[in-house]
Coordinates of all heavy atoms in Angstrom, one line a residue:
M276 N 93.1 86.0 117.0 CA 94.5 86.0 116.7 C 94.8 85.6 115.3 O 95.6 86.1 114.7 CB 95.2 85.0 117.7 CG 96.6 84.9 117.6 SD 97.4 86.5 118.0 CE 99.0 85.9 118.3
N277 N 93.9 84.7 114.8 CA 94.1 84.3 113.4 C 93.8 85.4 112.5 O 94.5 85.5 111.4 CB 93.2 83.1 113.1 CG 93.7 81.8 113.7 OD1 94.8 81.6 113.9 ND2 92.7 80.9 113.8
R278 N 92.8 86.3 112.8 CA 92.6 87.4 111.9 C 93.8 88.4 111.9 O 94.1 88.9 110.8 CB 91.3 88.2 112.4 CG 90.1 87.4 112.2 CD 88.8 88.2 112.6 NE 87.7 87.4 112.5 CZ 86.5 87.7 112.9 NH1 86.4 88.8 113.5 NH2 85.5 87.0 112.7
I279 N 94.4 88.6 113.0 CA 95.5 89.5 113.1 C 96.7 88.9 112.2 O 97.3 89.6 111.5 CB 96.0 89.7 114.5 CG1 94.9 90.5 115.3 CG2 97.3 90.4 114.6 CD1 95.2 90.6 116.7
L280 N 96.9 87.6 112.4 CA 98.0 87.0 111.6 C 97.6 87.1 110.1 O 98.6 87.4 109.3 CB 98.1 85.5 112.0 CG 99.2 84.7 111.3 CD1 100.5 85.3 111.5 CD2 99.2 83.3 111.8
F281 N 96.5 86.8 109.7 CA 96.0 86.9 108.3 C 96.2 88.3 107.8 O 96.7 88.6 106.8 CB 94.6 86.5 108.2 CG 94.1 86.7 106.8 CD1 94.4 85.8 105.8 CD2 93.3 87.7 106.4 CE1 94.0 85.9 104.5 CE2 92.8 87.9 105.1 CZ 93.1 87.0 104.1
A282 N 95.8 89.3 108.7 CA 96.0 90.8 108.2 C 97.5 91.1 108.1 O 97.9 91.8 107.1 CB 95.4 91.7 109.3
V283 N 98.4 90.6 108.9 CA 99.8 90.8 108.8 C 100.4 90.2 107.5 O 101.1 90.8 106.8 CB 100.6 90.3 110.0 CG1 102.0 90.3 109.8 CG2 100.2 91.1 111.3
V284 N 99.9 89.0 107.2 CA 100.4 88.3 106.0 C 100.0 89.1 104.8 O 100.7 89.3 103.8 CB 99.9 86.8 106.0 CG1 100.1 86.2 104.6 CG2 100.5 86.0 107.1
V285 N 98.7 89.5 104.7 CA 98.2 90.2 103.6 C 99.0 91.6 103.5 O 99.4 92.0 102.3 CB 96.7 90.6 103.7 CG1 96.2 91.6 102.8 CG2 95.9 89.3 103.6
L286 N 99.3 92.3 104.5 CA 100.0 93.5 104.5 C 101.3 93.3 104.0 O 101.9 94.1 103.1 CB 100.1 94.1 105.9 CG 100.8 95.5 106.0 CD1 100.1 96.5 105.1 CD2 100.9 95.9 107.5
I287 N 102.1 92.3 104.4 CA 103.4 92.0 104.0 C 103.4 91.6 102.5 O 104.2 92.1 101.7 CB 104.0 90.8 104.8 CG1 104.3 91.3 106.3 CG2 105.3 90.2 104.1 CD1 104.8 90.2 107.2
S288 N 102.4 90.9 102.1 CA 102.2 90.6 100.6 C 102.0 91.8 99.8 O 102.6 92.0 98.7 CB 101.1 89.6 100.4 OG 101.3 88.4 101.0
C289 N 101.2 92.7 100.3 CA 101.0 94.0 99.5 C 102.3 94.8 99.4 O 102.6 95.4 98.4 CB 99.9 94.8 100.2 SG 98.3 94.1 100.0
V290 N 103.0 94.9 100.5 CA 104.3 95.6 100.5 C 105.3 94.9 99.5 O 106.0 95.6 98.8 CB 104.9 95.7 101.9 CG1 106.3 96.2 101.9 CG2 104.0 96.5 102.8
A291 N 105.3 93.7 99.5 CA 106.2 93.0 98.5 C 105.8 93.2 97.1 O 106.7 93.4 96.2 CB 106.2 91.4 98.8
V292 N 104.5 93.3 96.8 CA 104.1 93.6 95.4 C 104.5 95.0 95.1 O 105.0 95.3 93.9 CB 102.5 93.4 95.3 CG1 102.0 94.0 94.0 CG2 102.2 91.9 95.4
V293 N 104.3 96.0 96.0 CA 104.7 97.4 95.7 C 106.1 97.5 95.5 O 106.6 98.2 94.6 CB 104.1 98.3 96.9 CG1 104.7 99.7 96.8 CG2 102.6 98.3 96.8
D294 N 106.9 96.8 96.3 CA 108.4 96.9 96.2 C 108.9 96.2 94.8 O 109.7 96.8 94.2 CB 109.1 96.1 97.3 CG 109.1 96.9 98.6 OD1 108.8 98.1 98.6 OD2 109.4 96.3 99.7
T295 N 108.2 95.2 94.4 CA 108.5 94.6 93.1 C 108.1 95.5 92.0 O 108.9 95.7 91.0 CB 107.8 93.2 93.0 OG1 108.2 92.4 94.0 CG2 108.1 92.5 91.6
A296 N 107.0 96.1 92.0 CA 106.6 97.1 91.0 C 107.6 98.3 90.9 O 108.0 98.7 89.9 CB 105.1 97.5 91.3
R297 N 107.9 98.8 92.1 CA 108.9 99.8 92.2 C 110.2 99.4 91.6 O 110.8 100.3 90.8 CB 109.1 100.3 93.6 CG 108.5 101.6 93.9 CD 108.9 102.1 95.2 NE 107.7 102.5 96.0 CZ 107.4 102.3 97.2 NH1 108.3 101.7 98.0 NH2 106.3 102.6 97.8
A298 N 110.7 98.3 91.9 CA 112.0 97.8 91.4 C 111.9 97.7 89.8 O 112.9 98.0 89.1 CB 112.3 96.5 92.0
S299 N 110.8 97.1 89.3 CA 110.6 97.0 87.9 C 110.5 98.4 87.2 O 111.1 98.6 86.1 CB 109.4 96.2 87.6 OG 109.6 94.9 88.1
A300 N 109.8 99.3 87.8 CA 109.8 100.7 87.2 C 111.2 101.3 87.2 O 111.6 102.0 86.2 CB 108.8 101.5 88.0
Q301 N 111.9 101.1 88.3 CA 113.3 101.6 88.4 C 114.1 100.9 87.3 O 115.0 101.6 86.7 CB 113.8 101.4 89.8 CG 115.3 101.9 89.9 CD 115.3 103.5 89.8 OE1 114.4 104.2 90.4 NE2 116.2 104.0 89.0
L302 N 113.9 99.6 87.1 CA 114.7 98.9 86.1 C 114.4 99.5 84.7 O 115.3 99.7 83.9 CB 114.2 97.4 86.1 CG 114.9 96.5 85.0 CD1 116.5 96.5 85.2 CD2 114.3 95.1 85.1
A303 N 113.2 99.8 84.4 CA 112.7 100.4 83.2 C 113.5 101.8 83.0 O 113.9 102.1 81.9 CB 111.2 100.6 83.0
L304 N 113.5 102.5 84.1 CA 114.3 103.8 84.0 C 115.7 103.6 83.9 O 116.3 104.3 83.0 CB 113.9 104.5 85.4 CG 114.5 106.0 85.5 CD1 113.8 106.9 84.4 CD2 114.2 106.5 87.0
D305 N 116.3 102.7 84.6 CA 117.7 102.5 84.5 C 118.2 102.0 83.0 O 119.2 102.3 82.6 CB 118.2 101.4 85.5 CG 118.1 101.9 86.9 OD1 118.0 103.1 87.1 OD2 118.2 101.0 87.8
K306 N 117.3 101.2 82.4 CA 117.6 100.6 81.1 C 117.2 101.6 80.0 O 117.4 101.3 78.8 CB 116.9 99.3 80.9 CG 117.3 98.2 81.8 CD 118.7 97.9 81.5 CE 119.2 96.7 82.4 NZ 120.6 96.4 82.3
G307 N 116.7 102.8 80.3 CA 116.4 103.8 79.3 C 115.1 103.5 78.5 O 114.8 104.1 77.5
C308 N 114.2 102.7 79.1 CA 113.0 102.3 78.4 C 112.0 103.5 78.2 O 111.3 103.6 77.2 CB 112.2 101.2 79.1 SG 113.2 99.7 79.4
F309 N 112.1 104.4 79.2 CA 111.2 105.6 79.1 C 111.6 106.5 78.0 O 110.8 107.3 77.5 CB 111.1 106.3 80.4 CG 110.4 105.6 81.5 CD1 110.9 104.8 82.4 CD2 109.0 105.7 81.5 CE1 110.2 104.1 83.4 CE2 108.2 105.1 82.5 CZ 108.8 104.3 83.4
A310 N 112.8 106.5 77.5 CA 113.2 107.3 76.3 C 112.4 107.0 75.1 O 112.1 108.0 74.3 CB 114.7 107.0 76.0
C311 N 111.9 105.8 75.0 CA 111.1 105.5 73.8 C 109.6 105.2 74.1 O 108.7 105.5 73.4 CB 111.6 104.2 73.1 SG 113.2 104.4 72.3
H312 N 109.4 104.6 75.4 CA 108.0 104.3 75.7 C 107.4 105.2 76.7 O 106.3 104.9 77.3 CB 108.1 102.8 76.4 CG 108.5 101.8 75.3 ND1 107.7 101.4 74.2 CD2 109.7 101.2 75.2 CE1 108.4 100.5 73.5 NE2 109.6 100.4 74.1
G313 N 108.1 106.3 77.0 CA 107.5 107.3 78.0 C 106.5 108.2 77.3 O 105.9 108.0 76.2
E314 N 106.3 109.4 77.9 CA 105.4 110.4 77.4 C 106.2 111.7 77.1 O 106.8 112.2 77.9 CB 104.3 110.7 78.4 CG 103.3 109.6 78.7 CD 102.3 109.4 77.6 OE1 102.2 110.3 76.7 OE2 101.7 108.3 77.6
P315 N 106.2 112.0 75.8 CA 105.7 111.4 74.6 C 106.6 110.3 74.2 O 107.8 110.3 74.4 CB 105.7 112.6 73.6 CG 106.8 113.5 74.0 CD 106.9 113.3 75.5
P316 N 106.0 109.3 73.5 CA 106.8 108.2 73.0 C 107.7 108.7 71.9 O 107.4 109.7 71.1 CB 105.8 107.2 72.5 CG 104.6 108.0 72.2 CD 104.6 109.2 73.1
R317 N 108.7 107.9 71.6 CA 109.6 108.2 70.4 C 109.0 107.5 69.2 O 108.7 106.3 69.3 CB 111.1 107.6 70.7 CG 112.0 108.0 69.5 CD 113.4 107.4 69.8 NE 114.0 108.3 70.8 CZ 115.1 107.9 71.4 NH1 115.8 106.8 71.1 NH2 115.7 108.7 72.3
K318 N 109.0 108.2 68.1 CA 108.5 107.7 66.8 C 107.2 106.8 66.9 O 106.2 107.3 67.5 CB 109.6 106.9 66.1 CG 110.8 107.7 65.8 CD 111.8 107.0 65.0 CE 113.0 107.9 64.7 NZ 114.1 107.1 64.0
N319 N 107.3 105.6 66.5 CA 106.1 104.7 66.6 C 106.1 103.8 67.8 O 105.3 102.9 67.9 CB 106.1 103.8 65.3 CG 105.8 104.7 64.1 OD1 105.2 105.7 64.1 ND2 106.4 104.2 63.0
A320 N 106.9 104.1 68.8 CA 106.9 103.2 70.0 C 105.7 103.4 70.8 O 105.2 104.5 71.0 CB 108.1 103.6 70.9
P321 N 105.0 102.3 71.3 CA 103.9 102.4 72.1 C 104.4 102.9 73.5 O 105.5 102.6 74.0 CB 103.3 101.0 72.2 CG 104.5 100.2 72.0 CD 105.4 100.9 71.0
T322 N 103.5 103.6 74.2 CA 103.8 104.1 75.6 C 103.6 102.9 76.5 O 103.0 101.9 76.1 CB 102.8 105.2 76.1 OG1 101.5 104.7 76.1 CG2 102.9 106.4 75.1
F323 N 104.1 103.0 77.7 CA 103.8 101.9 78.7 C 102.4 101.7 79.0 O 101.9 100.6 79.2 CB 104.7 102.2 80.0 CG 106.1 101.7 79.9 CD1 107.1 102.7 80.1 CD2 106.4 100.5 79.6 CE1 108.4 102.3 79.9 CE2 107.8 100.1 79.5 CZ 108.8 101.0 79.7
D324 N 101.6 102.8 79.0 CA 100.2 102.7 79.2 C 99.5 101.9 78.0 O 98.7 101.0 78.3 CB 99.5 104.0 79.3 CG 99.7 104.8 80.6 OD1 100.2 104.1 81.6 OD2 99.5 106.0 80.7
Q325 N 99.9 102.1 76.9 CA 99.4 101.3 75.7 C 99.8 99.9 75.8 O 99.0 99.0 75.6 CB 99.9 102.0 74.4 CG 99.3 103.3 74.1 CD 100.0 104.0 72.9 OE1 101.2 103.9 72.8 NE2 99.2 104.7 72.1
L326 N 101.1 99.6 76.1 CA 101.6 98.3 76.3 C 100.8 97.5 77.4 O 100.4 96.4 77.2 CB 103.0 98.3 76.6 CG 104.0 98.6 75.5 CD1 105.4 98.9 76.0 CD2 104.0 97.6 74.4
A327 N 100.6 98.2 78.5 CA 99.9 97.6 79.7 C 98.4 97.2 79.2 O 98.0 96.2 79.6 CB 99.9 98.6 80.9
K328 N 97.8 98.1 78.5 CA 96.5 97.8 78.0 C 96.4 96.6 77.0 O 95.6 95.7 77.1 CB 95.8 99.0 77.4 CG 95.4 100.1 78.3 CD 94.9 101.3 77.6 CE 94.7 102.4 78.5 NZ 94.4 103.7 77.8
D329 N 97.4 96.5 76.2 CA 97.6 95.5 75.2 C 97.8 94.1 75.8 O 97.3 93.1 75.4 CB 98.6 95.8 74.2 CG 98.2 96.9 73.2 OD1 97.0 97.3 73.2 OD2 99.1 97.4 72.5
F330 N 98.6 94.2 76.9 CA 99.1 92.9 77.6 C 98.4 92.5 78.8 O 98.7 91.5 79.4 CB 100.6 92.9 77.8 CG 101.4 93.0 76.4 CD1 102.1 94.1 76.1 CD2 101.4 91.9 75.6 CE1 102.8 94.2 74.9 CE2 102.1 92.0 74.4 CZ 102.8 93.1 74.1
A331 N 97.4 93.3 79.1 CA 96.6 93.0 80.4 C 96.0 91.6 80.3 O 95.8 91.0 81.3 CB 95.6 94.1 80.6
R332 N 95.7 91.2 79.1 CA 95.1 89.9 78.9 C 95.9 88.7 79.3 O 95.4 87.6 79.5 CB 94.6 89.7 77.4 CG 95.7 89.6 76.4 CD 95.2 89.5 75.0 NE 96.3 89.4 74.0 CZ 96.7 90.5 73.3 NH1 96.1 91.7 73.5 NH2 97.6 90.4 72.5
Y333 N 97.2 89.0 79.5 CA 98.1 87.9 79.9 C 98.3 87.8 81.5 O 99.1 87.0 81.9 CB 99.5 88.1 79.3 CG 99.4 88.0 77.8 CD1 99.8 89.1 77.0 CD2 99.0 86.9 77.1 CE1 99.7 89.1 75.7 CE2 99.0 86.9 75.7 CZ 99.3 88.0 75.0 OH 99.2 87.9 73.6
Q334 N 97.5 88.6 82.2 CA 97.6 88.5 83.7 C 97.4 87.1 84.1 O 96.4 86.5 83.7 CB 96.7 89.5 84.3 CG 97.2 90.9 84.2 CD 96.3 91.9 84.9 OE1 95.4 91.6 85.6 NE2 96.6 93.1 84.8
G335 N 98.2 86.6 85.0 CA 98.0 85.3 85.6 C 98.6 84.2 84.7 O 98.4 83.0 85.0
Q336 N 99.2 84.5 83.6 CA 99.7 83.5 82.6 C 101.2 83.6 82.6 O 101.8 84.2 81.6 CB 99.1 83.8 81.2 CG 97.6 83.7 81.2 CD 97.0 84.0 79.8 OE1 97.7 83.6 78.8 NE2 95.9 84.6 79.7
A337 N 101.9 83.0 83.6 CA 103.3 83.1 83.7 C 104.0 82.5 82.5 O 105.1 83.1 82.0 CB 103.7 82.3 85.0
E338 N 103.5 81.5 81.9 CA 104.1 80.9 80.7 C 104.1 81.8 79.5 O 105.1 82.0 78.8 CB 103.4 79.5 80.3 CG 104.2 78.8 79.3 CD 103.6 77.4 79.0 OE1 103.2 76.7 80.0 OE2 103.3 77.1 77.8
Q339 N 103.0 82.5 79.4 CA 102.8 83.5 78.3 C 103.8 84.7 78.5 O 104.4 85.2 77.6 CB 101.4 84.0 78.2 CG 101.2 84.8 76.9 CD 101.4 84.0 75.6 OE1 101.2 82.8 75.6 NE2 101.9 84.7 74.6
E340 N 104.0 85.1 79.8 CA 104.9 86.2 80.1 C 106.4 85.8 79.8 O 107.1 86.6 79.2 CB 104.9 86.5 81.6 CG 103.7 87.3 82.0 CD 103.7 87.7 83.5 OE1 104.8 87.7 84.1 OE2 102.7 88.1 84.0
L341 N 106.7 84.5 80.0 CA 108.0 84.0 79.6 C 108.2 84.1 78.1 O 109.2 84.5 77.6 CB 108.3 82.6 80.1 CG 108.4 82.5 81.6 CD1 108.5 81.0 81.9 CD2 109.6 83.2 82.1
K342 N 107.2 83.7 77.3 CA 107.3 83.7 75.9 C 107.4 85.2 75.4 O 108.2 85.4 74.5 CB 106.0 83.1 75.3 CG 105.9 81.6 75.4 CD 104.7 81.1 74.8 CE 104.6 79.5 75.0 NZ 103.4 79.0 74.4
L343 N 106.6 86.1 76.0 CA 106.7 87.5 75.6 C 108.1 88.1 75.9 O 108.7 88.9 75.2 CB 105.6 88.4 76.3 CG 104.2 88.1 75.9 CD1 103.3 88.7 76.9 CD2 104.0 88.7 74.5
A344 N 108.7 87.7 77.1 CA 110.0 88.1 77.5 C 111.1 87.6 76.5 O 112.0 88.4 76.0 CB 110.4 87.7 78.9
D345 N 110.9 86.4 76.1 CA 111.9 85.8 75.1 C 111.8 86.5 73.8 O 112.7 86.8 73.1 CB 111.7 84.3 74.9 CG 112.1 83.5 76.1 OD1 112.9 84.1 76.9 OD2 111.6 82.3 76.3
K346 N 110.6 86.8 73.4 CA 110.3 87.5 72.0 C 110.9 88.9 72.1 O 111.4 89.4 71.1 CB 108.8 87.5 71.8 CG 108.5 88.0 70.4 CD 106.9 87.9 70.1 CE 106.7 88.4 68.7 NZ 105.4 88.2 68.3
L347 N 110.7 89.5 73.3 CA 111.3 90.9 73.4 C 112.8 90.9 73.1 O 113.3 91.9 72.5 CB 111.0 91.4 74.8 CG 111.6 92.8 75.2 CD1 110.9 93.9 74.5 CD2 111.4 93.0 76.8
R348 N 113.5 89.9 73.5 CA 114.9 89.8 73.4 C 115.4 89.4 72.0 O 116.6 89.5 71.7 CB 115.6 88.9 74.5 CG 115.3 89.5 75.9 CD 115.8 88.6 77.0 NE 117.2 88.5 76.8 CZ 117.9 87.3 76.8 NH1 117.2 86.2 76.8 NH2 119.3 87.3 76.7
E349 N 114.5 88.9 71.2 CA 114.9 88.3 69.9 C 115.4 89.4 68.9 O 114.8 90.5 68.9 CB 113.7 87.5 69.2 CG 113.4 86.3 69.9 CD 112.1 85.6 69.2 OE1 111.6 86.1 68.3 OE2 111.7 84.5 69.7
G350 N 116.2 88.9 68.0 CA 116.6 89.9 66.9 C 115.5 89.7 65.9 O 114.7 88.8 65.9
H351 N 115.3 90.7 65.0 CA 114.3 90.7 64.0 C 114.9 90.8 62.7 O 116.0 91.3 62.4 CB 113.4 91.9 64.2 CG 112.7 91.8 65.6 ND1 111.6 91.1 65.8 CD2 113.0 92.5 66.7 CE1 111.2 91.3 67.1 NE2 112.1 92.1 67.7
I352 N 114.2 90.2 61.7 CA 114.7 90.2 60.3 C 115.1 91.6 59.8 O 116.2 91.7 59.2 CB 113.7 89.6 59.3 CG1 113.4 88.2 59.7 CG2 114.1 89.7 57.9 CD1 112.2 87.5 59.0
F353 N 114.3 92.6 60.0 CA 114.6 94.0 59.5 C 115.4 94.8 60.5 O 115.4 96.0 60.4 CB 113.3 94.6 59.2 CG 112.5 93.9 58.1 CD1 111.4 93.2 58.4 CD2 113.1 93.9 56.8 CE1 110.7 92.6 57.4 CE2 112.4 93.3 55.8 CZ 111.2 92.6 56.1
G354 N 116.1 94.2 61.4 CA 116.9 94.9 62.4 C 116.1 95.1 63.7 O 115.0 95.6 63.7
G355 N 116.6 94.6 64.7 CA 116.0 94.6 66.0 C 116.2 95.9 66.7 O 116.7 96.8 66.3
I356 N 115.7 95.9 67.9 CA 115.9 97.0 68.8 C 117.0 96.6 69.8 O 116.8 95.8 70.6 CB 114.5 97.4 69.5 CG1 113.5 97.7 68.5 CG2 114.7 98.5 70.5 CD1 112.1 97.8 69.1
Q357 N 118.1 97.3 69.6 CA 119.3 96.9 70.4 C 119.1 96.9 71.9 O 119.5 96.0 72.6 CB 120.5 97.9 70.0 CG 121.8 97.3 70.5 CD 122.2 96.2 69.7 OE1 122.1 96.1 68.5 NE2 122.9 95.3 70.4
A358 N 118.3 97.9 72.5 CA 118.0 97.9 73.8 C 117.3 96.7 74.3 O 117.5 96.1 75.5 CB 117.3 99.2 74.2
H359 N 116.4 96.2 73.4 CA 115.6 95.0 73.9 C 116.5 93.7 73.8 O 116.5 92.9 74.7 CB 114.4 94.8 73.0 CG 113.4 95.8 73.0 ND1 112.3 95.8 72.2 CD2 113.2 96.9 73.7 CE1 111.4 96.8 72.5 NE2 112.1 97.5 73.4
E360 N 117.3 93.7 72.7 CA 118.2 92.5 72.6 C 119.3 92.4 73.6 O 119.7 91.3 74.0 CB 118.8 92.6 71.2 CG 117.8 92.4 70.1 CD 118.5 92.6 68.7 OE1 119.7 92.7 68.6 OE2 117.7 92.8 67.8
N361 N 119.6 93.5 74.3 CA 120.7 93.6 75.3 C 120.2 93.2 76.6 O 121.0 93.1 77.6 CB 121.4 95.0 75.3 CG 122.2 95.1 74.1 OD1 122.6 94.2 73.4 ND2 122.5 96.4 73.8
L362 N 118.9 93.1 76.9 CA 118.3 92.8 78.1 C 118.7 91.3 78.5 O 118.6 90.5 77.7 CB 116.8 92.9 78.1 CG 116.2 94.3 78.1 CD1 114.7 94.2 77.9 CD2 116.5 95.0 79.4
S363 N 119.0 91.1 79.8 CA 119.2 89.8 80.2 C 117.7 89.1 80.3 O 116.7 89.8 80.3 CB 119.8 89.8 81.7 OG 118.8 90.3 82.6
A364 N 117.8 87.8 80.3 CA 116.5 87.1 80.4 C 115.7 87.5 81.7 O 114.5 87.7 81.6 CB 116.7 85.6 80.4
E365 N 116.5 87.7 82.7 CA 115.8 88.0 84.0 C 115.2 89.4 84.0 O 114.1 89.6 84.4 CB 116.8 88.0 85.1 CG 116.3 88.3 86.5 CD 117.3 88.3 87.6 OE1 118.4 87.7 87.4 OE2 117.1 88.9 88.7
N366 N 115.9 90.4 83.4 CA 115.4 91.7 83.3 C 114.2 91.8 82.4 O 113.3 92.5 82.6 CB 116.5 92.7 82.8 CG 117.5 93.0 83.9 OD1 117.2 92.8 85.1 ND2 118.6 93.5 83.6
A367 N 114.3 91.0 81.2 CA 113.2 91.0 80.3 C 111.9 90.4 81.0 O 110.8 91.0 80.8 CB 113.5 90.2 79.1
R368 N 112.1 89.4 81.7 CA 110.9 88.8 82.5 C 110.4 89.8 83.5 O 109.1 89.9 83.5 CB 111.4 87.5 83.1 CG 111.6 86.4 82.2 CD 111.9 85.1 82.9 NE 112.5 84.2 81.9 CZ 113.6 83.5 82.1 NH1 114.3 83.7 83.2 NH2 114.0 82.7 81.2
A369 N 111.2 90.4 84.2 CA 110.7 91.4 85.2 C 110.0 92.6 84.5 O 108.9 93.0 84.9 CB 111.9 92.0 85.9
L370 N 110.5 93.1 83.4 CA 109.8 94.2 82.7 C 108.5 93.7 82.1 O 107.5 94.4 82.2 CB 110.7 94.8 81.6 CG 112.0 95.6 82.1 CD1 112.9 95.9 81.0 CD2 111.5 96.8 82.8
V371 N 108.5 92.6 81.5 CA 107.2 92.0 80.9 C 106.2 91.8 82.0 O 105.0 92.3 81.8 CB 107.5 90.8 80.1 CG1 106.1 90.1 79.8 CG2 108.2 91.1 78.8
H372 N 106.6 91.3 83.1 CA 105.7 91.1 84.2 C 105.1 92.4 84.7 O 103.9 92.5 84.9 CB 106.3 90.3 85.3 CG 105.4 90.0 86.5 ND1 104.4 89.1 86.5 CD2 105.3 90.6 87.7 CE1 103.7 89.2 87.6 NE2 104.2 90.1 88.4
W373 N 105.9 93.4 84.8 CA 105.5 94.7 85.3 C 104.5 95.3 84.3 O 103.5 95.9 84.7 CB 106.8 95.6 85.5 CG 106.5 97.0 85.8 CD1 105.9 97.6 86.9 CD2 106.8 98.1 84.9 NE1 105.9 98.9 86.9 CE2 106.5 99.3 85.6 CE3 107.4 98.3 83.6 CZ2 106.6 100.6 85.1 CZ3 107.5 99.6 83.2 CH2 107.2 100.7 83.9
I374 N 104.8 95.2 83.0 CA 103.9 95.7 82.0 C 102.6 94.9 82.0 O 101.4 95.6 82.0 CB 104.5 95.6 80.6 CG1 105.7 96.6 80.5 CG2 103.5 95.9 79.5 CD1 106.6 96.4 79.3
V375 N 102.6 93.6 82.1 CA 101.3 92.9 82.2 C 100.5 93.2 83.4 O 99.3 93.3 83.3 CB 101.7 91.4 82.1 CG1 100.4 90.5 82.6 CG2 102.2 90.9 80.8
Q376 N 101.2 93.6 84.5 CA 100.5 94.0 85.7 C 100.0 95.4 85.7 O 99.5 96.0 86.7 CB 101.3 93.8 86.9 CG 101.7 92.2 87.1 CD 100.4 91.4 87.2 OE1 99.4 91.7 87.8 NE2 100.4 90.3 86.5
G377 N 100.3 96.2 84.6 CA 99.8 97.6 84.5 C 100.8 98.6 84.4 O 100.5 99.8 84.3
A378 N 102.1 98.2 84.5 CA 103.2 99.2 84.4 C 103.0 100.3 85.3 O 103.2 101.5 85.0 CB 103.4 99.7 82.9
R379 N 102.7 100.0 86.6 CA 102.5 101.0 87.6 C 103.4 100.7 88.8 O 103.5 99.6 89.2 CB 101.1 101.1 88.1 CG 100.1 101.4 87.0 CD 99.7 102.9 87.0 NE 98.9 103.2 85.8 CZ 99.1 104.2 85.1 NH1 100.1 105.0 85.2 NH2 98.2 104.4 84.1

């Protein structure tokens, strides 16, 4: 009985992870992120695959993800990226987490 319960919990957890990833991918689509970070990327923008490779080192580091999300939303001295600056803190965190987890 315990094995069945454990299997059900694992299955539910996997479904929740897939749903979260789908929601984050949909968020990236809704916010127009693929216009610059898709295939092919716009100008010098990295693709989501490139971003995922670069940020994979932050997996399991929730505090670092928060810092990255805050940095994403910051203005920059030479002019920021309006789409990044317009993200809510919650959306920025969701997108950064999705990227850190592989952007899949």
Side-chain angles (χ1 to χ4, degrees):
M276 185 64 160
N277 286 338
R278 288 182 184 170
I279 294 172
L280 181 59
F281 177 74
V283 169
V284 169
V285 168
L286 181 61
I287 290 170
S288 297
C289 290
V290 169
V292 168
V293 169
D294 285 345
T295 301
R297 253 191 230 137
S299 296
Q301 185 63 49
L302 177 62
L304 186 62
D305 293 346
K306 295 295 182 183
C308 303
F309 286 96
C311 293
H312 299 286
E314 293 286 346
R317 182 181 288 170
K318 295 184 183 178
N319 294 327
T322 65
F323 279 118
D324 285 341
Q325 291 167 325
L326 289 168
K328 287 177 188 170
D329 290 346
F330 294 113
R332 65 181 177 262
Y333 299 117
Q334 287 185 5
Q336 299 179 37
E338 186 175 316
Q339 190 62 34
E340 285 185 17
L341 290 174
K342 288 179 184 178
L343 290 169
D345 289 342
K346 187 173 181 174
L347 176 66
R348 297 177 63 232
E349 287 178 2
H351 301 278
I352 295 171
F353 299 108
I356 299 169
Q357 195 69 38
H359 293 181
E360 293 172 13
N361 290 338
L362 288 170
S363 70
E365 181 182 343
N366 286 343
R368 287 182 194 129
L370 289 169
V371 166
H372 181 73
W373 175 66
I374 292 167
V375 167
Q376 297 304 316
R379 302 259 176 231

